[in-house]
Amino acid sequence: MKRQRKLNFKSVGVKLFVILFCTIVLLSSVLGLTSYYAAKGIITDEVAAASSQSVVQAADKLDFLFAEYEALSRQFAVDSVLKADMETVNNPDAGTIAKVAAEDRIRRKLDSVRGSDERLLGVRLVSRSMVDAESYKSTGVSAVRSDEGILARMKQIDDGKGNPVWFPVRAKGFFDAYSESSMTMGRLLRNIQNPAAEYYMLIEIKGKALTDVLSNLHIGLAGEIRILDPSGNIVYGADNALLGQPSYIQTGKVKAAGQKQSFTAGNEQGSPQLVVYQPLATAKWTLMGYAPVSDFTKSADRLLYITLSALLAAALIALMIGYVLVRLIGRPLGKLARLMEEGEQGNLQVRTNFKGQDEIGRLGHSFNKMMEQISRLAGQSSSSALEVLATSEQLVIASGTTSTHAREVAAATGEIAGGAASLAAEAESSNRKVELMGDKMNEVAETNSVMDTSAGKVMAVSDQGAELMKKLVAQSESTLKMMNLIQENSAMLRDSTVLIRSILSPMIAVNKQTNILALNASIEAVRAGAAGRGFIVIADEIRGLANQSNQSIASVSRITEEISGHIENTVKVVGEAAPLFSEQIASVRESSRIFESVRAEMEVFSSYLSQSSAAVSELTGYQQQLGASMASVISVVQQTSASTEEVASMSSQQFIVSEELVTLSGRLEELAENLKQSMISFQG
């Protein structure tokens, strides 16, 4: 019965088929889609380049149109006749006939400009007062209004300071009073000499005029043309309802980034749009056109259909190639795998019948030779297993006997090792105690040395103190002698002050007599009259000198009294300090005797320290001898313990080896039995 074939996804043939199929389909898909998108990109770039040229030409036309009306406004600004007429109508001294004639010339000029250009909706000269009666306009336009929005636009013209200002297209005109859209250019006609004659000139251009200029500009089948201001609001568009509103597609960010004048962006519905733009040179606006990208890439869709057809054909070819690979590679390998599975079950009689000379044929021949060699090897292994089984039984008996003897030797050696270890531990403990004793003795010796040094320092300090006390006694005695001299000098100064007082008393009496004589001389000079005037002057001078002498004597007396008081205080203080100095000298002498006694005691203490240090040195020598003896004991014990542990370790290892040998013998016996049973399952 023929075996039913099942699709095995783990088969090499199936894997090769899947890899080849996926590779062909993937390469075809990538190549087709790459070509499709490359074609779309090339078409879009070419259309963008052509549309950019069209937009540039349309922008040039708009610039030309705007420049034409700016030139017209400049003509009005420099027209001397118009300027004179505007000054006349605003001159209160001008006659009525002159004003009417000037107004008529202004209106006829405006009508002539309006009539010569069909694109114009109207031309106005609006007074700065925004009064309609003071303004002028061409025929057929509405009156002037002055609501808030119009005043804001007029302020923009004022801010222009005589330069042209362009206003976006409005659905009902500049004054929101028309039935059609218009775009307005405003300009202030300045008159520096006569500000009252300044007017706003408004040139209103029909929205249809922009449509006519841009009528030849087409982008795609459903494209749209717009003009945007710098804020992105719509200045002109096909739908008047969108005027003044922000445009969904903006060009400001693209211009700021310095990119080329075409890009792709989504519209309100999210569909991609090809956008081209060109800034205007006059009005600071941007002309923008956009159209759906699908309008240009419809021709590239045929390439997508061709790609899908090629992809389908590639898939069919891949299926055919895969089927051939499965038959040539998958089936032979599957058959060989089944034969090897039967050999795995123990059937060594299986063989292949591959006749080819390729790798699969050689693999079949090698499989047949391998099965023959395995059959011979199985027969030899069966006979060897019987021999191994007999040998392993003898090895088990010998290993059991060796293991018993090794266990007994290990136990005895373990007891010896335990005793040696205990002895080593005791010796080690005694050695540590001897070392601690040595450390304590060293600390005592160091302490004695430090105390000896400190005693020497105390003796030296005592000597220095005794010397200082002697010097202090000598200095105190010198100070006491000086105090006695101060007392003697103070007594002499006190006697001198008494002598000074006795000298000053006659001088005071002489001054009093001199004053009396001077007074009498003055009296006599007055009696003498004119002849005694000279004596009056002399008497006054003598009396003045007497007064000065009296004041000087009084100052000397006062100073003498003060000196006498200070001397008395000094004598009193010196008298009080003299006993204190005597007591100080006695204390210093007592301190000197104390220092000498301290030095004597420290000499005795130093002798005791020397005796203690000698005793500690002898103890240190005995401790070192004891330590050496303990070290010898520890060394002998450690050697004995190490030898015993080594013997015990070798006995333990021998016992372990014996146990392992018994285990391995049993395992060898089991393996021999298993090998015997395994050989039975092969059919040689």
Side-chain angles (χ1 to χ4, degrees):
M1 183 177 179
K2 189 176 181 181
R3 288 185 63 179
Q4 185 178 1
R5 291 188 184 130
K6 295 181 180 180
L7 185 61
N8 186 6
F9 289 99
K10 295 183 179 180
S11 172
V12 175
V14 175
K15 290 181 180 178
L16 288 175
F17 164 71
V18 172
I19 293 172
L20 182 63
F21 180 80
C22 293
T23 302
I24 293 175
V25 172
L26 181 62
L27 289 177
S28 301
S29 302
V30 171
L31 180 60
L33 293 177
T34 303
S35 302
Y36 170 68
Y37 286 110
K40 286 181 64 175
I42 292 171
I43 292 172
T44 303
D45 292 340
E46 293 297 329
V47 172
S51 300
S52 298
Q53 293 297 325
S54 301
V55 169
V56 170
Q57 294 175 2
D60 291 340
K61 291 180 181 179
L62 289 177
D63 285 332
F64 180 77
L65 177 65
F66 294 163
E68 182 179 350
Y69 290 116
E70 289 181 0
L72 177 62
S73 65
R74 282 195 297 272
Q75 291 178 5
F76 273 75
V78 300
D79 191 343
S80 58
V81 176
L82 178 63
K83 185 176 181 181
D85 289 338
M86 288 188 293
E87 290 177 352
T88 300
V89 298
N90 287 279
N91 186 3
D93 297 332
T96 304
I97 297 175
K99 288 185 177 181
V100 171
E103 290 176 350
D104 183 61
R105 284 193 297 272
I106 293 173
R107 290 191 182 93
R108 280 191 287 109
K109 185 173 183 62
L110 297 178
D111 288 337
S112 64
V113 173
R114 164 67 181 80
S116 62
D117 192 346
E118 295 180 353
R119 296 172 298 189
L120 294 179
L121 186 63
V123 182
R124 299 173 184 267
L125 292 177
V126 181
S127 173
R128 300 197 69 171
S129 63
M130 297 298 294
V131 178
D132 184 64
E134 298 176 358
S135 303
Y136 304 95
K137 56 184 178 295
S138 59
T139 306
V141 294
S142 62
V144 173
R145 295 172 54 193
S146 59
D147 55 24
E148 184 177 356
I150 294 173
L151 292 177
R153 291 193 284 274
M154 289 300 185
K155 187 177 182 306
Q156 294 182 29
I157 299 176
D158 275 331
D159 294 339
K161 297 181 180 180
N163 295 317
V165 179
W166 288 92
F167 295 95
V169 176
R170 301 183 64 83
K172 294 184 179 181
F174 187 83
F175 291 98
D176 297 327
Y178 299 128
S179 59
E180 61 177 317
S181 62
S182 68
M183 179 177 63
T184 306
M185 190 213 74
R187 188 168 194 161
L188 178 62
L189 301 182
R190 307 183 67 179
N191 192 331
I192 299 175
Q193 297 176 351
N194 188 1
E198 292 183 346
Y199 281 82
Y200 299 111
M201 182 179 183
L202 300 178
I203 301 177
E204 299 178 83
I205 306 168
K206 297 178 181 179
K208 184 177 178 298
L210 293 180
T211 304
D212 294 339
V213 173
L214 301 175
S215 60
N216 294 327
L217 178 59
H218 299 286
I219 300 176
L221 300 177
E224 186 174 347
I225 305 299
R226 289 179 180 177
I227 299 177
L228 307 180
D229 63 9
S231 300
N233 298 323
I234 299 175
V235 174
Y236 166 80
D239 187 3
N240 289 336
L242 299 176
L243 294 176
Q245 297 183 9
S247 175
Y248 188 82
I249 299 176
Q250 297 283 343
T251 62
K253 294 182 179 179
V254 178
K255 290 192 290 185
Q259 298 181 7
K260 59 183 181 179
Q261 294 179 339
S262 64
F263 60 95
T264 303
N267 61 358
E268 291 85 344
Q269 291 76 29
S271 59
Q273 305 285 318
L274 176 62
V275 184
V276 292
Y277 66 94
Q278 174 64 30
L280 300 179
T282 51
K284 296 183 181 179
W285 294 338
T286 301
L287 177 62
M288 180 185 72
Y290 64 91
V293 176
S294 58
D295 289 353
F296 315 115
T297 59
K298 287 182 179 180
S299 58
D301 293 339
R302 289 178 295 178
L303 185 60
L304 182 61
Y305 300 142
I306 295 172
T307 300
L308 294 176
S309 300
L311 183 60
L312 181 60
L316 294 174
I317 294 172
L319 286 172
M320 294 175 63
I321 296 174
Y323 177 73
V324 173
L325 287 176
V326 169
R327 285 187 61 86
L328 294 177
I329 299 175
R331 287 185 179 179
L333 290 179
K335 184 177 180 180
L336 181 61
R338 289 193 297 272
L339 294 176
M340 293 189 73
E341 290 173 356
E342 292 181 8
E344 181 184 358
Q345 299 298 326
N347 185 9
L348 301 179
Q349 300 297 324
V350 294
R351 299 292 185 271
T352 63
N353 55 357
F354 299 155
K355 298 179 180 180
Q357 297 299 322
D358 54 4
E359 287 79 359
I360 294 176
R362 287 186 290 169
L363 179 61
H365 299 320
S366 299
F367 176 76
N368 294 336
K369 293 179 180 179
M370 180 185 67
M371 296 305 292
E372 292 175 358
Q373 292 178 0
I374 290 175
S375 297
R376 290 195 297 270
L377 181 61
Q380 294 175 0
S381 298
S382 179
S383 59
S384 299
L386 295 174
E387 296 177 2
V388 171
L389 181 60
T391 305
S392 62
E393 291 175 353
Q394 297 176 2
L395 184 60
V396 167
I397 296 171
S399 299
T401 304
T402 304
S403 177
T404 302
H405 293 306
R407 185 183 295 108
E408 294 174 355
V409 173
T413 307
E415 293 176 358
I416 296 172
S422 300
L423 181 60
E426 292 296 332
E428 185 69 25
S429 176
S430 300
N431 188 36
R432 284 197 297 270
K433 291 178 181 179
V434 171
E435 290 178 353
L436 291 175
M437 184 187 299
D439 293 338
K440 293 298 182 180
M441 296 299 294
N442 290 331
E443 291 179 2
V444 172
E446 292 177 357
T447 304
N448 288 340
S449 177
V450 172
M451 292 175 65
D452 191 11
T453 303
S454 300
K457 291 181 179 179
V458 170
M459 293 174 64
V461 171
S462 298
D463 293 339
Q464 293 178 359
E467 292 296 329
L468 290 175
M469 289 296 108
K470 292 178 180 179
K471 291 181 180 179
L472 185 59
V473 169
Q475 292 175 357
S476 299
E477 291 176 351
S478 300
T479 304
L480 184 60
K481 292 179 180 179
M482 293 175 68
M483 295 295 294
N484 293 330
L485 291 175
I486 291 172
Q487 286 182 339
E488 294 176 358
N489 292 331
S490 298
M492 293 174 66
L493 287 173
R494 186 167 50 195
D495 295 340
S496 298
T497 55
V498 173
L499 181 61
I500 290 171
R501 289 195 192 97
S502 63
I503 293 171
L504 291 175
S505 296
M507 292 178 68
I508 294 171
V510 170
N511 281 331
K512 289 181 179 179
Q513 292 297 326
T514 303
N515 282 328
I516 294 171
L517 290 175
L519 181 61
N520 292 331
S522 298
I523 294 171
E524 292 299 328
V526 170
R527 289 177 180 176
R533 290 178 182 175
F535 290 102
I536 292 173
V537 174
I538 294 170
D540 290 337
E541 290 293 331
I542 292 171
R543 190 168 54 252
L545 292 173
N547 290 331
Q548 292 179 0
S549 298
N550 192 18
Q551 292 176 358
S552 299
I553 291 170
S555 298
V556 171
S557 297
R558 188 171 57 256
I559 293 169
T560 303
E561 291 295 330
E562 291 177 357
I563 292 172
S564 178
H566 291 319
I567 291 171
E568 291 293 333
N569 291 332
T570 302
V571 171
K572 182 179 179 181
V573 171
V574 170
E576 293 175 354
L580 296 177
F581 273 105
S582 299
E583 294 177 359
Q584 182 179 2
I585 291 171
S587 298
V588 169
R589 287 173 179 170
E590 183 66 24
S591 298
S592 179
R593 286 194 297 272
I594 290 171
F595 272 110
E596 291 176 355
S597 64
V598 167
R599 187 179 186 283
E601 292 293 332
M602 290 307 297
E603 287 177 351
V604 175
F605 180 68
S606 178
S607 63
Y608 289 154
L609 284 177
S610 299
Q611 295 175 5
S612 176
S613 298
V616 169
S617 298
E618 292 178 0
L619 288 175
T620 301
Y622 295 148
Q623 183 269 337
Q624 289 176 353
Q625 293 175 4
L626 180 59
S629 300
M630 292 302 299
S632 300
V633 172
I634 290 172
S635 177
V636 173
V637 171
Q638 287 178 347
Q639 290 177 0
T640 304
S641 177
S643 300
T644 307
E645 288 177 355
E646 186 176 359
V647 173
S649 175
M650 293 173 65
S651 300
S652 300
Q653 291 178 0
Q654 184 180 4
F655 175 69
I656 293 171
V657 170
S658 300
E659 291 291 335
E660 292 179 352
L661 185 58
V662 173
T663 303
L664 292 174
S665 299
R667 181 61 177 163
L668 181 60
E669 186 177 4
E670 292 177 1
L671 291 175
E673 186 64 30
N674 292 334
L675 181 60
K676 181 179 178 182
Q677 296 297 327
S678 299
M679 292 298 103
I680 294 173
S681 63
F682 285 101
Q683 300 174 8

